[in-house]
């Protein structure tokens, strides 16, 4: 008999997503841990959010005209359960009740459209009953048909989307849990993956990670904006991120921005033919985004466009001036960049971005700004204002690695080589005590020859090999070998701990 061995298919991660492996994951943890610590000292607490939400949440908050909503979202229909099984005989009364029950339990989405369909289902059922009671067969048949057809129109699925960003979710949660009744400003931070179907390249992935924070409350005091930025800069300092540059701008509010946008649109119309297709499209959909363009051929044109700073209303101008003053009080340097507009629709007034070296053209590690109308837009109180930012963790880590801050400490303190059954048992106990004391210990699972075992200790880059054999057991000591220089000595357990501590200090 001949047998052909088909090699099993191997799998690869999907385009644009990636694994974060050790030791890089150690750096990721350090970044996230430092963020938790720094944000904690500013009174922020973590909010853990769902990875998916109703598509409509993002459509409404991020904005239909943005790249994110128009083409980058991972959306799909969630079909929770479908129609109830009608069984062999359909009794319209019973089946209607079953469908209503399915809507109550969430098996069929309970949305306004389905609710109005059910109203007409009920109506037709009533007519059906009446016609049958009066033995008007033809009318009854027609009512039955209408009842039946109406049911076919129920929406069985609900569109849901993997979150492309998290501010919308934070605001949704803020409203859903009535957080406006909490005292003071609500300060929340989050971290986790986001999803956008973009063209993958260095620093741009389809699953990427953000660390973000939001302040929600009734105040829009410029001191809040300044403190949020201060918190960010403290984080970057603590991480020793070099060469971070803070760019700020004010893009006005709903009083002054519309007039500016119209003016901008009018000016853009005049130069329409000189612009690329993206910018041409944005004249209609989102003229502010033209300012964001990196196209070489458009730079001279953009340079001559009207600037928002000259069109801010009195209160926006004052707000912006005060933000800058308060940044000064905190010793924070910034560059004003009139072309800085955020990609999402909900921003107003203060916007900011932080760039870092070593990232090529994807050099923004953080974007943020004020979004005073968003809570109201999502059905919350009109008085709630908000400001926040999102750090692109992938890019932050890339930049830290590029700046030589990616070196990770740690590694293996002790490789615990044992020889013989009695030594094995002693080594298991010693390993536990060492680990309880915080040392990183590798205990070989099977017995190895001396040379092979010590060779592995070397290759694992252990700092020390601790050797337990029959001789050591008899003498009540272990042999400890420092692998950097090969120096070796016999120590009792207490001495061993002191020796390792001194070596780690
Ligand atoms: P960009 O202009 O670089 O596309 P953006 O304006 O789309 O950024 P935001 O939506 O403000 O970015 O997100 C905040 C931060 O998240 C960005 O500054 C960036 O560091 C990071 N980020 C955004 N999209 C991606 C992505 N696809 N891959 C990796 N990081 C990203
Ligand atoms: Mg983008």
């Amino acid at each position: 008999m001949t047998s052909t061995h088909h090699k099993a298919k191997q799998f690869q991660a999907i385009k644009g997503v990636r694994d974060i492996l050790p030791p890089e994951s150690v750096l990721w943890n350090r970044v996230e841990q430092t963020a938790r610590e720094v944000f904690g000292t500013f009174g922020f607490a973590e909010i853990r959010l769902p990875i998916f939400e109703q598509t409509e949440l993002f459509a409404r908050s991020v904005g239909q005209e943005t790249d994110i909503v128009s083409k980058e979202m991972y959306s799909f229909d969630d079909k929770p359960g479908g129609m109830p099984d009608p069984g062999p005989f359909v009794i319209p009364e019973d089946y209607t009740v079953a469908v209503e029950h399915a809507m109550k339990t969430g098996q069929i989405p309970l949305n306004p459209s389905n609710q109005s369909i059910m109203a007409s289902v009920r109506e037709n059922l009533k007519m059906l009953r009446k016609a049958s009671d009066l033995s008007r067969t033809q009318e009854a048949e027609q009512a039955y048909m209408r009842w039946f057809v109406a049911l076919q129109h129920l929406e069985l699925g609900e569109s849901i989307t993997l979150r492309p960003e998290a501010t919308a979710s934070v605001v949704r949660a803020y409203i859903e849990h009535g957080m406006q009744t909490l005292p003071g400003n609500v300060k929340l931070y989050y971290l986790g993956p986001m999803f956008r179907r973009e063209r993958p390249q260095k620093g741009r992935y389809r699953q990427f990670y953000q660390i973000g924070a939001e302040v929600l409350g009734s105040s829009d005091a410029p001191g809040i904006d300044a403190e949020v930025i201060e918190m960010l800069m403290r984080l970057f300092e603590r991480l020793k991120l070099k060469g971070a540059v803070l760019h700020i701008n004010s893009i006005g509010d709903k009083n002054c921005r519309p007039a500016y946008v119209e003016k901008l649109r009018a000016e853009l119309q005049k130069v329409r033919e000189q612009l690329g297709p993206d910018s041409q499209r944005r004249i209609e959909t989102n003229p502010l985004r033209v300012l964001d363009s990196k196209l070489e051929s458009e730079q001279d044109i953009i340079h001559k466009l009207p600037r928002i700073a000259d069109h801010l209303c009195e209160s926006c101008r004052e707000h912006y001036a005060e933000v800058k003053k308060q940044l000064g009080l905190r010793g924070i340097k910034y560059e004003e960049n009139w072309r800085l507009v955020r990609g999402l629709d909900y921003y107003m007034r203060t916007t900011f971005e932080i760039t870092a070296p070593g990232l090529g053209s994807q050099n923004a590690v953080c974007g943020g700004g004020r979004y005073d109308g968003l809570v109201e837009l999502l059905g919350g109180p009109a008085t709630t204002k908000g400001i926040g930012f999102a750090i692109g963790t992938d890019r932050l880590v890339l930049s830290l690695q590029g700046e030589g801050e990616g070196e990770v400490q740690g590694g293996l303190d002790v490789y615990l080589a044992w020889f013989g059954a009695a030594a094995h048992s002693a080594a298991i106990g010693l390993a536990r005590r060492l680990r309880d004391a915080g040392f990183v210990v590798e205990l070989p699972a099977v017995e190895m020859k001396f040379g092979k075992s010590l060779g592995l200790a070397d290759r694992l880059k252990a700092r020390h090999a601790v050797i337990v054999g029959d001789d050591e057991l008899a003498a009540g000591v272990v042999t400890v070998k420092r692998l950097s220089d090969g120096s070796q000595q016999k120590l009792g357990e207490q001495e061993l701990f002191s020796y390792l501590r001194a070596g780690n200090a």
Side-chain angles (χ1 to χ4, degrees), residues 27-39 44 46 163 165-167 170 188-194 208-214 231-232 235-236 239 352 365-368 388-397 400:
L27 175 58
W28 277 74
N29 283 336
R30 189 173 90 207
V31 166
E32 292 179 345
Q33 186 52 32
T34 308
R36 290 178 187 283
E37 283 167 21
V38 172
F39 296 178
F44 283 69
E46 183 181 7
R163 62 182 188 190
E165 57 104 48
T167 301
V170 173
L188 300 166
Y189 74 86
Y190 59 84
L191 31 91
M194 308 292 156
F208 63 100
Y209 295 78
Q210 287 186 338
I211 302 173
E214 317 285 349
M231 178 167 95
L232 255 173
L235 171 62
F236 290 155
L239 291 170
F352 55 93
V365 283
C366 175
F389 62 78
I391 299 166
T393 318
D394 308 74
R395 293 185 195 174
L396 176 55
V397 166
L400 287 171

Side-chain angles (χ1 to χ4, degrees), residues 6 40 82 150-151 183 211 221 299 323 482:
H6 289 287
L151 280 175
I211 302 173
Q299 300 308 309
V323 169
R482 189 160 63 205

Side-chain angles (χ1 to χ4, degrees), residues 234-254:
R234 283 301 300 144
L235 171 62
F236 290 155
E237 269 170 46
R238 281 273 290 274
L239 291 170
K240 302 198 174 67
L241 178 71
K242 292 182 211 93
V245 179
L246 168 66
H247 305 262
I248 61 169
N249 191 21
S250 173
I251 54 171
D253 63 8
K254 58 175 182 287

Side-chain angles (χ1 to χ4, degrees), residues 78-86 95 98-103 105-109 114 151 154-158:
D78 185 32
K79 295 218 170 91
M83 297 296 275
D85 183 0
Y95 195 64
V99 171
E100 281 167 347
H101 180 73
M103 271 173 78
T105 60
Q107 193 183 329
I108 296 173
N114 280 355
L151 280 175
L154 284 172
E155 287 168 13
L156 301 182
E158 175 179 48

